[in-house]
Amino acid sequence: MTKLKTEALRKSFGELEVLKGLDLEVKEGEVVVIIGPSGSGKSTFLRCMNLLEEVSDGRVIVDDFDLTDPKQDINKIRQNVGMVFQQFNLFPHLSVMDNITMAPKQLKDLSGEDARTLAMRLLDSVGMSDKADAYPSSLSGGQKQRVAIARALAMEPDIMLFDEPTSALDPEMVGEVLAVMKKLAEDGMTMVVVTHEMGFAREMADRVIFMDEGNIVEEGRPEQLFGNPQNERTRDFLDKIL
Ligand code: ADP
Ligand code: MG
């Protein structure tokens, strides 16, 4: 079953065309990793998938609902798509607990008690249950990112988008965040992950997509794309990072 689909997706900022007609289909439970040079449009592509960015042309379809249809209630559908950013984006003035319970209380009408129960279960699953009352400023980068993942999961999304979730972390903290993501993937979450962590891509991706200059240049299973890239631009990129 298809969870998320983009069709001929285009995005321009003024004169600059950043996404040049992208077709992507992500199946339920699939883990898709997107790689590519800086400025190739990876973040914009992810942001278009939940309409954090207005699309210039083409379609974004989530669970058979066309998000780009002006009549669509996109807020409702968007709740099914969780997003985790490089910079965590936790609310600094709220405790870990309140960061996690805010959206489900406001948008899902959960009672305070139900929201706290849910938050504790999620904090436990990311190994952060002892930090429920802490404030973000007292946490390490890896801890902040694990809380950010728990916060996204609190809306019970069925797709999770990750935009370079480990790029802002000190090296010793990358592993703890990737471990949480691996567990999510193993539990069957549908995931689209922009990352430079090739170990994660090799191990967890069902499919790797190489983007350059607003196009999907090449895609394949990790062993295929890393082991035997077909396109010269893919080869050049992999030579630089591997
Ligand atoms: P990546 O994530 O692959 O590094 P981005 O999607 O962030 O690439 O950016 C792709 C291109 O779009 C870059 O040239 C960037 O400068 C441009 N861009 C991104 N966001 C905006 C914006 N809000 N306004 C203007 N240009 C933007
Ligand atoms: Mg980016």
Side-chain angles (χ1 to χ4, degrees):
M1 195 190 119
T2 301
K3 266 284 163 209
L4 177 120
K5 190 152 96 170
T6 68
E7 290 177 358
L9 176 66
R10 290 180 180 273
K11 173 66 184 176
S12 298
F13 293 107
E15 296 287 283
L16 180 69
E17 190 172 47
V18 173
L19 303 178
K20 302 175 180 167
L22 301 183
D23 295 297
L24 175 71
E25 196 173 335
V26 183
K27 302 245 183 266
E28 185 166 9
E30 202 178 11
V31 176
V32 173
V33 167
I34 301 178
I35 61 172
S38 177
S40 57
K42 305 179 300 295
S43 293
T44 305
F45 191 23
L46 272 196
R47 293 167 59 81
C48 283
M49 288 179 198
N50 63 358
L51 260 57
L52 278 182
E53 207 72 74
E54 201 181 328
V55 166
S56 303
D57 196 24
R59 303 209 297 163
V60 179
I61 296 159
V62 172
D63 281 330
D64 288 334
F65 295 104
D66 185 349
L67 290 193
T68 34
D69 179 345
K71 296 191 292 288
Q72 196 63 253
D73 177 7
I74 61 166
N75 285 326
K76 195 81 202 147
I77 302 159
R78 195 189 265 150
Q79 290 178 16
N80 291 332
V81 185
M83 184 146 182
V84 174
F85 304 87
Q86 183 175 335
Q87 293 300 343
F88 327 124
N89 298 358
L90 295 175
F91 300 110
H93 58 291
L94 296 181
S95 68
V96 163
M97 175 59 74
D98 291 343
N99 261 280
I100 296 175
T101 56
M102 190 172 83
K105 280 201 294 201
Q106 285 183 358
L107 300 170
K108 290 205 155 188
D109 277 338
L110 277 199
S111 70
E113 192 186 338
D114 286 348
R116 278 191 298 276
T117 305
L118 171 68
M120 281 315 293
R121 178 169 63 73
L122 292 170
L123 282 173
D124 193 42
S125 77
V126 300
M128 292 290 295
S129 45
D130 56 333
K131 296 288 186 187
D133 297 324
Y135 280 79
S137 59
S138 71
L139 304 179
S140 71
Q143 290 174 326
K144 281 182 202 162
Q145 195 58 300
R146 285 186 282 146
V147 170
I149 293 171
R151 182 179 61 175
L153 291 172
M155 288 302 289
E156 304 186 299
D158 45 24
I159 305 170
M160 286 281 286
L161 310 177
F162 292 87
D163 192 0
E164 300 201 31
T166 60
S167 293
L169 301 179
D170 291 332
E172 72 271 22
M173 293 168 189
V174 169
E176 66 196 59
V177 172
L178 291 179
V180 167
M181 293 168 61
K182 274 183 202 173
K183 197 165 81 178
L184 255 186
E186 284 161 1
D187 287 347
M189 180 63 79
T190 307
M191 295 168 47
V192 182
V193 184
V194 175
T195 186
H196 301 297
E197 292 294 330
M198 295 303 139
F200 178 87
R202 277 178 198 277
E203 190 182 347
M204 299 310 295
D206 296 300
R207 200 149 38 107
V208 180
I209 291 188
F210 173 65
M211 273 182 74
D212 194 20
E213 297 182 355
N215 291 300
I216 293 176
V217 173
E218 185 167 351
E219 62 179 288
R221 294 197 55 80
E223 59 273 18
Q224 222 176 317
L225 194 117
F226 294 129
N228 187 20
Q230 299 299 303
N231 189 288
E232 196 181 319
R233 284 195 278 168
T234 318
R235 284 198 293 272
D236 279 352
F237 177 74
L238 292 174
D239 279 346
K240 283 187 200 125
I241 60 156
L242 292 181

